């Protein structure tokens, strides 16, 4: 049995992807731009294996076997095998071509947290398969066909997914607009909201928006300028501009969801309270210090600079305490110093809401995109032992 | 002392008014359309009085004295006096012209309920003053200058506020598109949501939207067709069409609020749960039986037909029970029969939320618009006794 293990990061869009012009190739109606997060805090890890003994393609997500029949997984497998076949040179890959694949993927963060894991997952799957089958070239095009936003997790730092023009999708690719070390002061706080309801899947949601939202077209006209402005903001490390575009983008995306029929609401009262807190804090600082963005769920992702992290975290801990007076709201990931918030509390007209936030993840922009972890050859394995072996190997990382 | 007492109804827009092209004359950026509700359930009552003994203009709202300096009240007083002066014929009105006015206005519903009362209030004020000063002609133009939506409360039934074209505002008037008895089966349920937070005032909110929302312009382009479709729906008593436009309108209005910067959120988790309930119910009926609309607050206004009221109210009582098992959610206004909801409950994937709704007001479309109640002459009164006298008189109605 030959196997390859890779990891891939999560990316959080500051210019949102919402709406496809081609459902099969996954071609978007607008370009999007995202920041790739550190893998220590959030990453998907995938092992793919081939063996003569495998009778069928199989997939395990976080230890549970899933149907491999999902069109997206089929897209990816077909595309990778197609590319392998094209460049097959009569070596080992010829036989792998006829072998079935076992896929085992796990995240280092709870999927229940409602964090978009499909981007990291598909980026990781595609990259691992490419390594296994020795496929070279543009991976983001294949990742895109698994999950649109996955193409952005192929690169680290600041990544633009150019919508492209071509019907074939060959120019609808992700590219890095700036490396992570271009703006090392940037920090990200993910506020995991407690009440994770069942949400409209983004796939279904964006389909309905394209069909029913009258405002979506206007948004599509607006985005190109926003992308330009955002690229400038990043080039110049202009946080104010970066933050303002990020917030307006998030709001407009959710406005389009609300204009969809029936309406889609991903944000909750807690999400809105976070929005109010951010605007109140910025107003008091007479300077945009923090930006929020929300994806297809209630969790907030805050962008801010290293120097403000301590104050902002203390503020969040104050307004979203735990009902247990002895324990503070938990912060995972990068460490945070404590700081006083007196100056703010007195001036904000906001209630404290216990247990509304489950925990905070503190992370940063990182250079590491999808990466290769390990490649092994295990003599003769069986369908049943593979996932275990793979998981053992994963645990060793 | 001469006094006039009048009452005016509340109106609920199905095509929303959001944004002014002229702040002083209160000229809207789009036409709007509303339904005038029954005054037994919701009405403003205003008494205006003049007397030589009055030293200054004064106003009492629900028993509390307020500043008469508000620009809107000043607009109204100036406009009424201006019109009186123009048509003054040397009779009693000449002396009233130089007299100060005392205004006393009260609603028959708790203002804390967060129901838009300014429309009824200003319609009532303007109508009473017109009666007192003997001003004839188009009242809705004056009412509009107090509070935009007030011009629609001047008429009963189904009322269109034509945005008009003229800079003077003389063609920005309300007119009835259908009388109440045109569609007597129509019923309205107002769900008063418990958590009434402080909201961005609609005056301030629409100003910010006009300044910052990129989607607002698109909405302005869309509304004229919607108004046409809505008028057709009303003409043909096509409830399905009426309901769908009403819901899309409400959603789009709140989408624009969210696209405003900083974003405005009037709807809460409870509002959104009502939205989900309505769509779930309609879906199960395979027929649009209920429509929701939300103004600048979390309360829901449901439009439905008489035949469905019992079922819908039972459904609301089930999903929004009181935490006290012995008391049902209170329904004020028109009586409602009880009905079984088994068929629905089993199929809806929705939680029950105790105490999220304070009470329901059940009302209908009514022909009665602003109306004249009583006109009296009271010999010699003082500034201090007037409001009491007025309130006594009001209580006698």
């Amino acid at each position: 049995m030959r196997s390859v293990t890779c990891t891939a990061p999560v990316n959080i869009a500051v210019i949102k992807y919402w709406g496809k012009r081609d459902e099969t190739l996954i071609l978007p109606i607008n370009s999007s731009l995202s920041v790739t997060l550190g893998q220590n805090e959030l990453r998907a890890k995938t092992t793919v294996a081939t063996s003569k003994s495998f009778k069928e393609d199989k997939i395990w997500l976080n230890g549970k076997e899933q149907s491999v029949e999902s069109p997206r997984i089929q897209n990816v497998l077909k595309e990778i095998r197609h590319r392998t076949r094209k460049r097959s040179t009569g070596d080992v890959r010829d036989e792998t071509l006829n072998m079935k694949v076992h896929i085992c993927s796990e995240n280092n963060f709870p999927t229940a947290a409602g964090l978009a894991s499909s981007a990291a997952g598909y980026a990781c799957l595609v990259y691992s398969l490419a390594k296994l089958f020795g496929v070279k070239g543009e991976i983001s095009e294949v990742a895109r066909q698994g999950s649109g936003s996955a193409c952005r997790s192929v690169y680290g730092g600041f990544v633009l997914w150019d919508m492209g023009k071509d019907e074939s999708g060959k120019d609808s690719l992700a590219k890095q607009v700036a490396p992570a070390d271009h703006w090392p002061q940037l920090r990200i706080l993910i506020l995991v909201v407690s009440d994770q309801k069942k949400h409209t899947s983004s796939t279904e949601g964006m389909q309905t928006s394209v069909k029913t939202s009258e405002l979506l077209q206007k948004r599509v006209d607006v985005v190109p300028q926003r992308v330009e402005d955002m690229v400038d903001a990043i080039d110049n490390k202009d946080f104010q501009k970066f933050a303002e575009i990020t917030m307006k983008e998030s709001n407009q995306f959710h406005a389009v969801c609300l204009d969809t029929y029936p309406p889609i609401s991903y944000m909750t009262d807690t999400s809105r309270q976070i929005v109010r807190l951010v605007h109140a804090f910025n107003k008091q600082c007479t300077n945009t210090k923090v930006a929020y963005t929300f994806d297809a769920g209630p969790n907030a992702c805050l962008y801010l600079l290293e120097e403000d992290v301590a104050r902002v975290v203390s503020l969040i801990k104050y307004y979203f305490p735990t009902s247990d007076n002895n324990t503070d709201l938990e912060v995972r990931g990068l460490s945070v110093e404590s700081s006083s918030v007196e100056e703010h509390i007195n001036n904000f007209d906001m209630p404290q809401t216990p247990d509304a936030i489950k925990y905070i993840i503190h992370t940063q922009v990182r250079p590491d995109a999808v990466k290769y972890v390990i490649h092994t050859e295990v003599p003769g394995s069986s369908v049943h032992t593979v996932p275990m072996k793979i998981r053992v190997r994963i645990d060793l990382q």
Side-chain angles (χ1 to χ4, degrees), chain A:
Chain A
M1 180 195 82
R2 297 177 51 249
S3 87
V4 168
T5 299
C6 300
T7 67
V10 165
N11 72 76
I12 304 277
V14 288
I15 305 280
K16 303 295 187 187
Y17 152 52
W18 196 252
K20 303 185 185 73
R21 63 181 201 271
D22 184 316
E23 292 285 338
T24 320
L25 293 170
I26 307 194
L27 302 178
I29 58 175
N30 65 267
S31 299
S32 54
L33 203 153
S34 61
V35 176
T36 298
L37 306 185
Q39 293 196 41
N40 296 348
E41 293 74 37
L42 300 162
R43 60 123 186 85
K45 175 174 274 175
T46 303
T47 297
V48 291
T50 49
S51 161
K52 286 204 183 82
S53 64
F54 293 171
K55 302 275 174 297
E56 51 182 341
D57 295 328
K58 278 175 168 289
I59 183 165
W60 289 260
L61 293 182
N62 299 303
K64 284 207 188 67
E65 180 161 8
Q66 311 281 332
S67 162
V68 77
E69 290 312 316
S70 127
R72 285 143 171 264
I73 292 173
Q74 288 303 316
N75 283 350
V76 166
L77 287 172
K78 278 200 199 75
E79 186 63 24
I80 286 285
R81 282 170 170 147
H82 169 69
R83 291 182 180 218
T84 314
R85 199 167 290 110
K86 260 169 41 188
R87 56 179 304 289
S88 175
T89 55
D91 66 3
V92 61
R93 280 183 296 277
D94 288 12
E95 58 172 325
T96 24
L97 250 176
N98 309 320
M99 290 185 199
K100 297 301 181 186
V101 184
H102 282 190
I103 302 159
C104 184
S105 188
E106 303 197 326
N107 301 324
N108 67 343
F109 54 91
T111 32
L115 298 166
S117 51
S118 64
Y122 276 100
C124 206
L125 171 62
V126 169
Y127 191 69
S128 317
L129 289 170
K131 287 282 174 198
L132 186 69
F133 288 100
V135 171
K136 298 273 181 305
E138 184 54 71
I139 293 306
S140 86
E141 188 185 350
V142 188
R144 190 202 70 223
Q145 296 176 56
S147 171
S149 54
C151 69
R152 296 186 314 235
S153 277
V154 170
Y155 300 101
F158 302 82
V159 183
L160 170 71
W161 172 14
D162 185 334
M163 64 179 286
K165 293 189 184 63
D166 198 283
E167 284 183 2
S168 72
K170 69 176 191 296
D171 59 353
S172 187
L173 307 171
K175 53 180 169 229
Q176 189 182 67
V177 295
D181 58 12
H182 165 71
W183 202 351
Q185 301 82 0
L186 204 61
R187 291 291 178 277
I188 293 95
L189 293 172
I190 296 170
L191 280 47
V192 178
V193 169
S194 301
D195 179 18
Q196 300 289 345
K197 296 197 203 67
K198 223 193 306 157
H199 302 296
T200 315
S201 79
S202 50
T203 307
E204 185 194 338
M206 63 178 78
Q207 278 172 2
T208 320
S209 290
V210 169
K211 279 201 210 84
T212 64
S213 170
E214 293 172 311
L215 302 181
L216 181 59
Q217 187 48 53
K218 175 69 180 180
R219 164 165 169 71
V220 167
D221 302 340
V222 165
V223 169
Q225 184 58 54
R226 275 202 176 149
V227 171
E228 258 183 56
D229 297 344
M230 182 55 92
V231 171
D232 288 349
I234 293 167
D235 284 348
N236 308 321
K237 288 180 261 182
D238 178 344
F239 185 80
Q240 298 245 11
K241 193 172 169 186
F242 172 88
E244 191 167 305
I245 299 171
T246 297
M247 291 187 275
K248 288 183 173 173
E249 247 304 290
S250 176
N251 295 334
Q252 190 167 84
F253 154 52
H254 291 280
V256 165
C257 289
L258 190 48
D259 184 54
T260 299
Y261 189 80
I264 304 167
S265 304
Y266 290 120
M267 293 168 74
T268 63
D269 285 349
T270 302
S271 313
R272 267 177 299 281
Q273 209 171 336
I274 294 165
V275 167
R276 279 197 296 277
L277 180 58
V278 167
H279 282 290
F281 178 74
N282 288 337
K283 190 176 177 186
Q284 197 184 38
C285 298
T286 62
N287 191 334
T288 308
K289 294 269 186 194
V290 188
Y292 54 77
T293 185
F294 296 82
D295 284 338
N299 298 329
C301 175
L302 306 185
Y303 285 97
L304 68 173
L305 296 175
E306 188 175 11
E307 64 202 36
D308 298 311
V309 169
R311 257 196 317 170
V312 171
V313 167
S314 309
L315 208 57
I316 295 164
K317 283 181 173 177
Y318 175 82
Y319 284 106
F320 301 98
T322 67
S323 52
D324 167 4
N325 298 330
N326 309 323
T327 52
D328 242 11
L329 179 59
E330 180 193 2
V331 181
R332 303 180 181 178
L334 305 175
S335 66
V336 181
E337 290 163 9
S338 64
S339 149
S340 155
V341 287
E342 290 312 323
E343 43 169 337
H344 304 295
I345 294 161
N346 310 331
N347 301 306
F348 293 175
D349 170 26
M350 272 187 58
Q352 289 181 291
T353 317
D355 302 323
I357 294 181
K358 218 188 291 173
Y359 57 87
I360 301 175
I361 301 171
H362 179 207
T363 179
Q364 59 188 315
V365 203
R366 297 303 297 274
D368 53 350
V370 277
K371 62 184 173 190
Y372 180 73
V373 177
I374 189 170
H375 184 157
T376 57
E377 307 274 346
V378 184
S381 308
S382 88
V383 154
H384 306 291
T385 59
V386 171
M388 267 85 77
K389 282 218 181 86
I390 291 171
R391 222 157 315 120
V392 169
R393 192 171 304 114
I394 286 167
D395 298 340
L396 293 177
Q397 309 305 326

